[in-house]
Amino acid sequence: MAHQHRTTLTDFVFICVLLVIKLETVQAAPHSGNMDKCQKALDKIVELFNLLDHEAGILLTTYIKTNGFPTDQQAPVVDGVPPTTITGSTHKVKLQNIHNRAMLFYWHIDTVIKYMTDLLEPSDNETQILLRLLRDSMNRLQNLFGRVEKLLQILDSNTTTVSTKVAQDVSRDEYEKKIYGWAVLDRHKDFLAMVLEVAGFKANTVCEG
């Protein structure tokens, strides 16, 4: 009788252990799925960043050439142009910062397009190439901050992002408008390179928390 009792108790303990393992497996499944979802979203963002980084160099060179600036000089510093630094002690905060910076550059490049449309001859082939590159950059930035926003939601569904827009009422003469565009595109290029270095994208650690 005692032997039967011990056997029943052993079976009960074994069943409890199986239930615990099963419960842990079920609880872990969503996390694993979320990690996969995060990694796929991250891969697309990194791919887009690499493309933007490559195209930003072409855009900047084209802008300098089209506006007749010397190629051996550094871009001027202009007030109001977003900085290239990425702030934040966690991946989530850095991603929020990247999202906001990308949106700011989107609106700054929109202003550059308006300036170039007014200042350059629209029928000129070089002007058309420059405007196309600027619009392509805007479209990719819009895609970028949209993807970053989705990644933030995967990491934390309670994450909120802030929409930002650049004031359009700054008074600039023709030369200042051209200088402004140069500064924006130079910072834009540096920003993209900085993101790939500091945001954890290269180390592939964003989805680890």
Side-chain angles (χ1 to χ4, degrees), residues 2-204:
H3 174 73
Q4 184 179 1
H5 176 72
R6 284 197 299 272
T7 301
T8 303
L9 182 61
T10 301
D11 291 343
F12 176 74
V13 171
F14 179 70
I15 291 171
C16 287
V17 170
L18 287 178
L19 287 172
V20 170
I21 294 173
K22 180 69 174 177
L23 180 61
E24 289 179 348
T25 302
V26 170
Q27 289 176 336
H31 175 70
S32 176
N34 211 43
M35 282 286 288
D36 291 341
K37 194 175 180 182
C38 176
Q39 191 60 53
K40 287 179 181 178
L42 178 62
D43 289 344
K44 289 181 180 179
I45 289 173
V46 173
E47 182 180 354
L48 185 54
F49 260 118
N50 283 320
L51 178 60
L52 268 164
D53 184 44
H54 171 71
E55 292 181 344
I58 298 172
L59 173 57
L60 178 60
T61 301
T62 303
Y63 184 90
I64 290 171
K65 179 183 176 183
T66 303
N67 285 280
F69 291 123
T71 57
D72 58 347
Q73 290 186 12
Q74 288 188 334
V77 177
V78 176
D79 291 340
V81 177
T84 61
T85 52
I86 307 300
T87 59
S89 57
T90 65
H91 288 315
K92 176 183 171 182
V93 176
K94 286 179 181 177
L95 284 168
Q96 287 174 314
N97 189 252
I98 290 167
H99 173 276
N100 295 340
R101 288 274 194 278
M103 189 173 287
L104 279 173
F105 276 110
Y106 172 90
W107 289 114
H108 276 284
I109 292 176
D110 181 56
T111 301
V112 175
I113 290 175
K114 292 174 182 176
Y115 286 169
M116 293 301 100
T117 302
D118 291 339
L119 295 175
L120 300 177
E121 176 55 51
S123 61
D124 183 76
N125 185 54
E126 287 190 354
T127 301
Q128 291 179 4
I129 292 173
L130 175 60
L131 291 175
R132 176 177 56 79
L133 290 172
L134 286 165
R135 293 189 185 101
D136 286 348
S137 182
M138 275 191 71
N139 290 335
R140 296 200 198 284
L141 282 170
Q142 186 175 38
N143 189 7
L144 176 64
F145 60 71
R147 287 184 182 277
V148 171
E149 190 169 342
K150 288 180 181 178
L151 178 57
L152 281 166
Q153 287 295 311
I154 293 172
L155 292 171
D156 182 358
S157 59
N158 294 319
T159 301
T160 57
T161 52
V162 180
S163 296
T164 55
K165 191 168 182 177
V166 179
Q168 302 292 316
D169 58 353
V170 179
S171 178
R172 298 184 176 98
D173 61 29
E174 288 190 8
Y175 181 72
E176 288 172 338
K177 288 177 179 179
K178 291 185 177 183
I179 288 292
Y180 162 83
W182 186 7
V184 167
L185 298 182
D186 185 70
R187 286 275 184 91
H188 168 246
K189 183 179 183 302
D190 289 346
F191 160 72
L192 295 168
M194 182 70 69
V195 168
L196 291 170
E197 290 293 334
V198 305
F201 291 163
K202 279 192 172 181
N204 210 23

